[in-house]
């Protein structure tokens, strides 16, 4: 029996599940930001297989009072969440006051710009 002619067994691919979080606690506490509206924006805008709003089973979104949890199958970029977050802020004219920062490896945080520290540096 030759070894080259043996068939390899087909291995089933396990889909890697990615979890991301977007923390919106500062603007939500001030009443500037609504996590429910942000979640619906993400549901409408996230593209799966080149189509908007086609989440299916590959992407799921949940919102708490201050956080949005995103669970997605493997080919999903954390950077894409930042892009959509910035787009939401621009749409609601909050981009001048808020920005998106990576606070941990699997998440972002939406914070206010620190204007006082910039003013002190100029003087």
């Amino acid at each position: 029996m030759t070894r080259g002619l043996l068939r390899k067994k087909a291995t089933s691919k396990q889909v890697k599940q990615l979890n991301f979080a977007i923390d919106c606690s500062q603007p939500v506490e001030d009443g500037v930001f609504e996590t429910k509206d942000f979640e619906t924006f993400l549901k409408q805008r996230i593209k799966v297989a080149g189509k908007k709003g086609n989440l299916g089973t590959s992407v799921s979104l949940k919102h708490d009072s201050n956080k949005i949890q995103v669970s997605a199958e493997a080919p999903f970029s954390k950077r894409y969440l930042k892009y959509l977050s910035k787009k939401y802020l621009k749409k609601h004219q909050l981009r001048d006051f808020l920005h998106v920062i990576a606070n941990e490896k699997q998440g972002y945080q939406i914070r206010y710009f620190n204007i006082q520290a910039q003013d002190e540096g100029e003087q």
Side-chain angles (χ1 to χ4, degrees), residues 17-30:
Q17 194 71 13
L18 303 171
N19 296 316
F20 302 106
I22 302 174
D23 183 17
C24 314
S25 57
Q26 287 181 356
V28 167
E29 289 171 359
D30 292 341

Side-chain angles (χ1 to χ4, degrees), residues 1-2 5 12-15 27 31 40 55 62 76-77 92-93 96 103 105 109 116 118 123:
M1 202 186 275
T2 59
L5 297 177
S12 63
K13 289 186 178 180
Q14 290 183 346
V15 178
T40 56
L55 300 181
K62 294 183 232 170
F76 192 82
S77 174
H92 292 283
Q93 299 172 348
D96 296 334
N103 63 340
K105 185 172 180 162
Q109 184 175 22
Q116 294 174 349
Q118 291 175 356
Q123 293 176 359

Side-chain angles (χ1 to χ4, degrees), residues 25-42:
S25 57
Q26 287 181 356
V28 167
E29 289 171 359
D30 292 341
V32 177
F33 200 83
E34 293 274 337
T35 55
K36 189 173 184 179
D37 294 338
F38 186 42
E39 181 192 19
T40 56
F41 177 83
L42 289 175

Side-chain angles (χ1 to χ4, degrees), residues 32-99:
V32 177
F33 200 83
E34 293 274 337
T35 55
K36 189 173 184 179
D37 294 338
F38 186 42
E39 181 192 19
T40 56
F41 177 83
L42 289 175
K43 281 183 181 177
Q44 293 170 351
R45 299 293 173 108
I46 290 178
K47 285 186 179 180
V48 176
K51 295 181 182 178
K52 284 185 181 179
N54 183 23
L55 300 181
T57 59
S58 60
V59 179
S60 65
L61 292 164
K62 294 183 232 170
H63 78 280
D64 300 335
S65 59
N66 295 345
K67 279 191 175 185
I68 294 180
Q69 303 287 335
V70 180
S71 298
E73 291 180 2
F76 192 82
S77 174
K78 178 183 167 190
R79 182 77 179 100
Y80 185 52
L81 283 178
K82 184 173 185 177
Y83 165 76
L84 289 174
S85 300
K86 289 168 75 173
K87 197 167 190 165
Y88 177 81
L89 293 175
K90 184 71 173 178
K91 180 180 177 183
H92 292 283
Q93 299 172 348
L94 297 170
R95 188 80 179 98
D96 296 334
F97 312 106
L98 300 171
H99 64 282

